[in-house]
């Protein structure tokens, strides 16, 4: 086995995993704060990326487009809270989950209705090419775009961590995640908290959308990357930011390694399901996930 | 002709446990069966029979299958399309490789294959619940489609994975017209719906619901968790498998693996949400709703564009459809989480009291 | 309590040195006690003492780290719920654990699942045996319904019932299994006086008519002292008293730990 090649695949996989983590992060934020498994996260990624690129193509300056898109995502978050979540507030989690599937359809239809359904290229100024100095010195090809994406993801997590640690809203959000009752005593109404967290998730979706859009183009297929983030979630747990990151790395690496080393044996194309099987096998051994604590139902 | 049960006294538990304990309901269902078995095939035109009624019934069966698992046994599944795919492609293989078997045994065996796949992918339900399980069923969805596309044997090495369903001949009699295919579908679906109804009002159905509502208490009562959950997966996937086989043989004719994507799973899920989870009737109402909605929307958009004198582009219509679909789901979840079947039930209660509410 | 139809007999259940903890919380520490045939055995103790945990260990919902359960001569380190049910243990829960989406009748019918023999194919076809079996059990369930005086609500979904009635239905579901050992976790909690009296009567009637052995958790001291033969007292996971109501009333440790605190 070629060691350099192995490491190339491994590192490529880890970096791809970071991209999954980016999407998974949006899920975790919403789940922690509102107990909702937001299936529409992928549609939000698509919606954000498509809005952004369409604004840019209509001549808006990059940063301005970013700010406008962010504003749109905030409005979207508030609207979702008002129209979908509030009326369903005391329903079982499964009902809310199904509502977010409905939301997925609405968002997919809406984004294409407004902006059209043709694919767009998205240019962030970072080429998806191997870093030359690395290739020359070690023979390992690592895309500089992947490194950039990992950096952005790291930055995003850092920003979120600061937000949760040092702002009043952030602290309130953490309180809700721990205990809904306690949150009420922080003095921020639950509905505001939900609107805020959905807006923050919209922001995360925008970042993920930019990264994925730059890599694969902004197109309908972006909605499917959410499906890639799901195994990350069951591996890392719906409630753990750390889980989302570590889970993403594990899924990304094992998926790429399997594709290269196992794929040819079974006919290739296994990345569509391999991540799920890894996550499942893992759950069979450890149902509480990577970082979850074992919970015994109280009766 | 009031809708009443007054004067209809039940003298035994058997009478009390009939499927339709009220006489008016029995009359109604008989009339309905006459219409769908006799009037529709005689009077319905080809298009309605082959493009609307037949798929509607097939979807109703798939929805019924999912309802058994999700609505009754409480195990959320997003893998319905995969079980349907197993049914479709295995029915094709049985017909191809064991031609002497005949159509109905092939469908049954195909259903059993789907059931076996269902049990394998139902195993995680013994350790995990809720969303985790829902995500796990996605594994089935992706794995099965992948296997069909990559393992040539399944599609008899056809170039693009497309198979053509064989002609259906039962006891020497060819089922080749839309009306006959419709009747075949209707018979199978009616029979399976009846079996499901019986099952759901017996011990098995109660065990499913017990596991759904409170698994710890169910276990304490002596209900075997593993047996019950896996049985739910098996029966549900059997129904979906047979639905898939009929989807291929009675409706599509030519089938590609892409006919069974996650979108189809969602479609069936929507049927049970809108129709009513945990209701056999709801599976039918939901399937009718979701099948007829696009047709209705098309007609409506056609009318609107005619009125306005402008052509609405196809892309716009399909996106509007997506939005309306999604919005309806949310609407139903908010307004009546138990679906149209519950509304029907409430209407009947009201009718029982009408016009004297005492 | 004079001249009982079923006088208290041999030990049928003994709990020996059972310890259970959740992470750092020691819910039970080396608990030992026994239950005799046909008796009404009460478990009392302040909140969080480990009473519910004790019942959960007995019928296999929780798995203790240490100790054994002896039931009718068989020894279990680790009970399993299904096995417990088969050996005649039935149970009600502190926070009602009915099947919310089902009618009262269906809820009680589930109580008889272990006695049903037909397989799912027979049930689906609704052929002779399956049908007869269903009717036979329906009859048995109707008897329980009569016994518990809940005829008027048999078709009502349990979710719609008042709390007191739900507790009654839960007891009916347990009785439908014709248990020989009945575990009741605070069957009278949250009831008004009249409902409490009714419930007391049911519990005593069950014990009296069917000779069912009953282990009962209850906070209402009056009730406990009235209806139980013997009482175990738990506090912080430890057993601090065991004996007849009269002995418990005068046990200093119990008075300090439990009766001393206002309830
Ligand atoms: N499933 C569980 N997971 C974690 N801790 C538990 C669990 N069940 C019980 N405990 C803990 O074990 C201890 C004993 O609880 P238990 O419910 O047995 O008390 P109890 O005597 O029934 O109290 P109460 O009168 O309030 O019902 C408590 O500290 C409780 O928090
Ligand atoms: Mg308790």
């Amino acid at each position: 086995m070629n060691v350099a090649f192995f490491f190339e695949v491994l590192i490529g996989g880890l970096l791809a995993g970071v991209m999954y983590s980016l999407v998974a992060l949006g899920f975790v934020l919403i789940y922690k704060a509102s107990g909702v498994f937001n299936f529409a996260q992928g549609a939000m990624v698509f919606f954000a990326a498509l809005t952004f690129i369409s604004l840019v193509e209509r001549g808006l300056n990059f940063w301005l487009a970013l700010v406008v898109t962010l504003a749109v995502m905030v409005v979207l978050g508030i609207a979702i809270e008002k129209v979908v979540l509030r009326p369903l507030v005391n329903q079982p989690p499964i009902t809310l989950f199904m509502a977010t599937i409905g939301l997925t359809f609405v968002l997919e239809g809406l984004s294409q209705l407004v902006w059209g359904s043709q694919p767009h290229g998205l240019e962030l100024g970072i080429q998806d090419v191997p870093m030359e100095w690395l290739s020359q010195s070690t023979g390992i090809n690592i895309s500089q775009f992947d490194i950039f994406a990992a950096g952005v993801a790291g930055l995003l997590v850092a920003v979120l961590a600061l937000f949760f640690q040092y702002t009043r809203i952030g602290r309130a959000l953490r309180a809700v995640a721990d205990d809904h009752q306690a949150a009420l005593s922080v003095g921020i109404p639950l509905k505001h908290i939900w609107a805020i967290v959905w807006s923050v998730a919209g922001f995360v979706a925008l970042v993920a959308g930019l990264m994925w859009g730059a890599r694969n183009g902004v197109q309908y297929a972006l909605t499917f990357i959410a499906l890639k983030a799901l195994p990350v979630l069951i591996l890392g747990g719906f409630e753990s930011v750390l889980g989302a990151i570590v889970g993403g790395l594990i899924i990304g690496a094992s998926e790429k390694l399997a594709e290269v080393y196992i794929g040819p044996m079974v006919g290739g194309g296994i990345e569509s399901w391999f991540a799920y099987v890894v996550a499942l096998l893992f759950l069979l051994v450890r149902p509480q996930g990577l970082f979850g604590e074992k919970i015994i139902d109280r009766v | 002709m009031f809708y009443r049960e007054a004067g209809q006294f039940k003298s035994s538990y058997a009478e009390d446990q009939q499927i339709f304990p009220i006489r008016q309901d029995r009359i109604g269902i008989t009339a309905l069966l006459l219409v769908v078995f006799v009037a529709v095939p005689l009077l319905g035109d080809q298009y309605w029979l082959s493009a609307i009624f037949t798929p509607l019934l097939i979807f109703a069966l798939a929805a019924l299958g999912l309802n058994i698992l999700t609505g009754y046994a409480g195990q959320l599944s997003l893998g319905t399309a995969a079980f349907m795919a197993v049914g479709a492609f295995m029915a094709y293989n049985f017909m191809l490789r064991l031609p002497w078997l005949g159509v109905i045994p092939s469908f049954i065996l195909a259903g059993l294959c789907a059931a076996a796949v269902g049990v394998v992918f139902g195993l995680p339900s013994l350790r995990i619940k809720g969303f985790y399980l829902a995500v796990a069923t996605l594994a089935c969805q992706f794995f099965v489609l992948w296997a069909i596309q990559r393992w040539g044997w399944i599609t008899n090495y056809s170039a693009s994975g497309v198979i053509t369903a064989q002609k259906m001949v039962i006891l020497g009699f060819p089922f080749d017209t839309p009306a006959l295919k419709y009747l075949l579908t209707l018979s199978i679906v009616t029979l399976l719906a009846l079996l499901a109804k019986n099952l759901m009002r017996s011990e098995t159905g109660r065990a499913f619901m017990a596991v759904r509502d409170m698994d710890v208490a169910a276990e304490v009562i002596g209900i075997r968790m593993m047996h019950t959950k896996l049985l739910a997966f098996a029966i549900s996937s059997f129904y979906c498998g047979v639905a898939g086989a009929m989807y291929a043989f009675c409706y599509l004719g030519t089938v590609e693996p892409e006919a069974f994507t996650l979108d189809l799973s969602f479609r069936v899920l929507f049927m049970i949400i809108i129709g009513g989870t945990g209701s056999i009737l709801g599976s039918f109402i939901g399937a009718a709703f979701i099948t007829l909605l696009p047709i209705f929307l098309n007609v409506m958009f056609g009318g609107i564009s005619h009125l306005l004198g402008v052509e609405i582009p196809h892309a716009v219509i399909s996106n509007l459809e997506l939005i309306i679909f999604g919005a309806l789901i949310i609407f139903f979840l908010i307004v009546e989480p138990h679906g149209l079947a519950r509304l029907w039930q409430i209407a009947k209660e009201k009718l029982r009291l009408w016009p004297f509410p005492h | 309590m004079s001249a009982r139809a079923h006088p208290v007999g041999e030990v049928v259940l003994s709990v020996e040195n059972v310890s259970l903890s959740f992470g750092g919380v020691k819910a039970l520490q080396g608990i030992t006690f026994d239950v005799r045939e046909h008796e009404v055995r009460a478990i009392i103790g302040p909140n969080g003492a480990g009473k519910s945990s004790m019942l959960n260990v007995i019928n296999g919902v929780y798995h203790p780290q240490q100790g054994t359960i002896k039931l009718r001569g068989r020894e279990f380190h680790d009970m399993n719920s299904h096995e417990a049910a088969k050996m005649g243990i039935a149970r009600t829960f502190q926070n009602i654990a009915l099947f919310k989406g089902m009618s009262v009748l269906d809820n009680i019918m589930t109580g008889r699942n272990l006695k049903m023999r037909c397989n799912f194919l027979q049930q689906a076809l609704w052929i002779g045996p399956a049908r007869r079996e269903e009717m036979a059990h329906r009859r048995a369930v109707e008897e329980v319904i009569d016994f518990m005086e809940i005829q008027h609500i048999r078709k009502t979904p349990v979710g719609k019932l008042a709390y007191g009635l739900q507790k009654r239905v839960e007891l009916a579901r347990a009785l439908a299994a014709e248990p020989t050992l009945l575990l009741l976790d605070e069957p009278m909690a949250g009831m008004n006086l009249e409902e409490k009296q009714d419930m007391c009567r049911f519990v005593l009637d069950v014990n009296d008519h069917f000779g069912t052995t009953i282990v009962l958790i209850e906070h209402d001291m009056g009730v406990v002292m009235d209806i139980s033969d013997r009482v175990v007292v738990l506090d912080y996971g430890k057993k601090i008293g065991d004996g007849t109501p009269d002995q418990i009333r005068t046990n200093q440790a119990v008075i300090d730990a439990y009766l001393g605190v206002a309830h």
Side-chain angles (χ1 to χ4, degrees), chain A residues 32-189:
Chain A
K32 263 177 90 94
S34 57
V36 177
F37 177 12
N38 175 29
F39 198 83
Q41 189 68 30
M44 281 167 65
V45 169
F46 175 55
F47 181 82
L50 192 60
T51 304
F52 172 80
I53 188 70
S54 302
L55 290 174
V56 171
E57 282 176 5
R58 276 162 185 69
L60 236 65
N61 158 291
F62 180 95
W63 294 106
L64 195 56
L66 203 63
V67 171
V68 172
T69 311
L70 191 56
V72 170
M73 295 313 284
V74 170
V75 172
L76 183 72
I78 295 171
I80 292 174
E81 192 279 324
K82 268 206 162 58
V83 181
V84 183
L85 300 178
R86 205 179 307 167
L88 287 171
V89 71
N90 284 322
Q91 297 292 331
I94 289 289
T95 306
L96 280 151
F97 167 65
M98 298 212 214
T100 64
I101 298 183
L103 188 59
T104 308
F105 277 58
V106 173
L107 284 180
E108 287 176 11
L110 191 65
S111 20
Q112 299 187 82
L113 189 68
V114 176
W115 304 119
S117 36
Q118 65 279 16
H120 306 254
L122 173 58
E123 199 52 65
L124 295 179
I126 315 283
Q127 298 300 315
D128 195 359
V129 292
M131 287 180 296
E132 257 174 50
W133 59 269
L134 194 67
S135 316
Q136 274 159 12
S137 58
T138 61
I140 298 175
N141 293 314
I142 302 290
S143 159
Q144 61 182 43
F145 181 84
D146 283 347
I147 296 289
F148 170 70
V152 170
L155 195 64
L156 182 68
V157 171
V159 168
L160 287 177
L162 290 177
F163 171 73
F164 281 111
Q165 204 69 44
Y166 294 110
T167 64
R168 192 169 83 96
I169 294 173
R171 280 195 298 270
L173 286 176
R174 276 197 314 174
V176 195
D178 294 338
D179 179 355
H180 282 217
Q181 227 47 45
L184 295 177
S185 61
V186 184
I188 298 181

Side-chain angles (χ1 to χ4, degrees), chain A residues 200-236:
Chain A
V200 175
F203 167 63
V204 175
L206 173 60
V207 176
L210 292 182
M211 292 299 123
W212 278 93
R215 140 122 336 152
N216 295 354
V218 178
Q219 52 183 325
Y220 181 72
L222 270 191
T223 58
F224 299 137
I225 58 156
L227 297 175
K228 276 298 173 59
L230 295 182
V232 174
L233 288 174
I234 52 177
L235 198 64

Side-chain angles (χ1 to χ4, degrees), chain C residues 51-52 94 185-186:
Chain C
K51 307 179 294 294
S52 299
Q94 181 169 357
D185 197 343
E186 306 198 12

Side-chain angles (χ1 to χ4, degrees), chain B residues 13-14 16-17 195 198-199 201-204 206 209-210 213-214 217 219-224 231 235, chain C residues 59 61 82 85 97 99-102 106 109-110 113-114 116 120 123-124 126 134-135 138 142 155 173:
Chain B
Y13 296 136
D16 189 39
Q17 288 183 335
L195 295 187
N198 282 338
L199 198 58
R201 63 186 174 139
S202 310
E203 192 42 41
T204 305
R206 286 191 295 266
M209 291 186 272
D213 285 349
M214 188 105 227
E219 218 166 357
V220 163
I221 277 178
I223 292 171
R224 285 171 298 167
L231 186 62
I235 295 175
Chain C
N59 76 337
V61 177
H82 182 71
F99 308 125
K100 291 259 164 10
M102 298 160 73
D106 281 345
M109 283 292 276
T110 56
N113 80 90
L114 277 176
M116 301 217 178
F120 75 97
Q123 290 169 1
W126 199 241
E134 185 81 10
M135 293 312 141
R138 172 76 191 268
E142 287 291 341
K155 293 282 170 77
R173 182 181 68 187

Side-chain angles (χ1 to χ4, degrees), chain C residues 9-33:
Chain C
E10 294 295 295
V11 168
V12 284
L13 168 75
S14 54
V15 173
E16 277 162 28
N17 196 25
V18 163
S19 299
L20 168 75
S21 55
F22 301 98
V25 180
K26 291 179 178 154
L28 297 170
Q29 304 179 47
I31 303 293
T32 301
F33 72 97

Side-chain angles (χ1 to χ4, degrees), chain B residues 14-41:
Chain B
E15 267 178 46
D16 189 39
Q17 288 183 335
Q18 291 177 76
I19 298 181
F20 300 106
I22 299 174
R23 190 187 307 126
Q24 284 84 341
D25 277 341
R26 288 197 291 275
I27 298 172
I29 194 75
T30 316
L32 180 65
L33 285 176
L34 275 177
V35 169
V36 294
F37 269 98
V38 182
V40 170

